[in-house]
Amino acid sequence: MGNCEGGMCSLLQNSEQWTIPMLVISAVNVLVIVCYEVFIVCRSTHVPPSRRHLFLSQVLLLGLLTGSCVGFAYGLEVTPTTCVVIRFGTGVSYVLIYSSLLVKLIFLISLNTGVYLPALYQALLLVFCIIVQIVVDVEWLTLVSSCQFSSIDHLFSIGYIIFLMLFVCLLSFKSINVKDNYREAKYIGLLLTINIPLWLLWAT
């Protein structure tokens, strides 16, 4: 661990007792997500094409899978490679999750007003949301050495994610009464209500 410098890597060094639990939890998450993905794909083959609205769900699952895989890097020995994976993968996994939820809510709101948002517009909005975080991560990796960063630097690097999360939360409350897709907006709002206090706890 001699290559590690900065508050974040020091934190990882001082948390070696979490190595095995982190690796186990990450492995279980990956297994569950892959099994669920196989179930969804198999089930979708028996559904008419007009009902296969799986795009955003697939992106959400990809974000969850990416986050679980990044968990392996947190559990392994701190090296320049694991530091890069943590710095880049954390932001990418979060932006996949919250961008897919954002586009989903915009779709539900537009559907509730009688406007159907075409899949192409949904895809473009999703891509633009994701590109912002990728640019932030690439710039951070370019300007700062792989392991020379603090926990504050790491928090600043996901400032855009925090903005997305708060925006999704506001949209979910705005659309809480939308009944389309089995009141999906309501459950997204409930998820964010639980998620934001956990983020605040993590940040402190």
Side-chain angles (χ1 to χ4, degrees):
M1 297 187 181
N3 295 323
C4 185
E5 297 180 19
M8 173 60 71
C9 290
S10 297
L11 176 62
L12 294 175
Q13 285 179 322
N14 294 329
S15 302
E16 293 183 358
Q17 67 272 19
W18 289 100
T19 298
I20 299 301
M22 180 65 74
L23 293 175
V24 171
I25 292 172
S26 298
V28 171
N29 281 346
V30 169
L31 179 61
V32 170
I33 293 170
V34 170
C35 290
Y36 183 69
E37 172 66 15
V38 171
F39 169 75
I40 291 296
V41 171
C42 292
R43 186 172 181 269
S44 67
T45 59
H46 303 291
V47 178
S50 60
R51 295 178 59 191
R52 292 178 186 170
H53 302 296
L54 296 176
F55 173 63
L56 293 176
S57 299
Q58 295 299 301
V59 176
L60 177 59
L61 281 176
L62 178 61
L64 294 172
L65 180 62
T66 304
S68 298
C69 291
V70 172
F72 288 114
Y74 278 97
L76 297 175
E77 180 181 359
V78 179
T79 64
T81 300
T82 56
C83 283
V84 169
V85 171
I86 289 170
R87 293 170 62 187
F88 187 79
T90 301
V92 170
S93 61
Y94 279 135
V95 80
L96 288 171
I97 293 169
Y98 291 112
S99 294
S100 62
L101 292 178
L102 173 63
V103 177
K104 169 64 75 173
L105 286 173
I106 293 175
F107 171 74
L108 292 175
I109 292 173
S110 64
L111 195 63
N112 189 56
T113 58
V115 178
Y116 183 85
L117 193 64
L120 177 60
Y121 291 155
Q122 296 180 50
L124 287 175
L125 179 58
L126 182 71
V127 168
F128 287 133
C129 289
I130 293 172
I131 285 176
V132 173
Q133 183 61 37
I134 291 178
V135 170
V136 170
D137 287 338
V138 170
E139 182 179 10
W140 187 32
L141 288 171
T142 303
L143 297 177
V144 181
S145 300
S146 58
C147 285
Q148 296 177 347
F149 67 99
S150 67
S151 56
I152 298 299
D153 294 330
H154 196 51
L155 189 60
F156 281 144
S157 74
I158 56 175
Y160 172 67
I161 303 297
I162 296 173
F163 166 77
L164 272 183
M165 180 174 58
L166 294 175
F167 191 45
V168 170
C169 186
L170 290 175
L171 279 182
S172 67
F173 283 111
K174 178 181 179 181
S175 56
I176 196 169
N177 293 321
V178 174
K179 297 181 180 180
D180 297 287
N181 283 26
Y182 306 100
R183 295 183 177 272
E184 194 170 10
K186 177 181 178 180
Y187 295 108
I188 293 175
L190 179 61
L191 169 67
L192 269 296
T193 302
I194 298 173
N195 194 29
I196 289 178
L198 293 177
W199 264 71
L200 292 174
L201 182 63
W202 171 76
T204 55

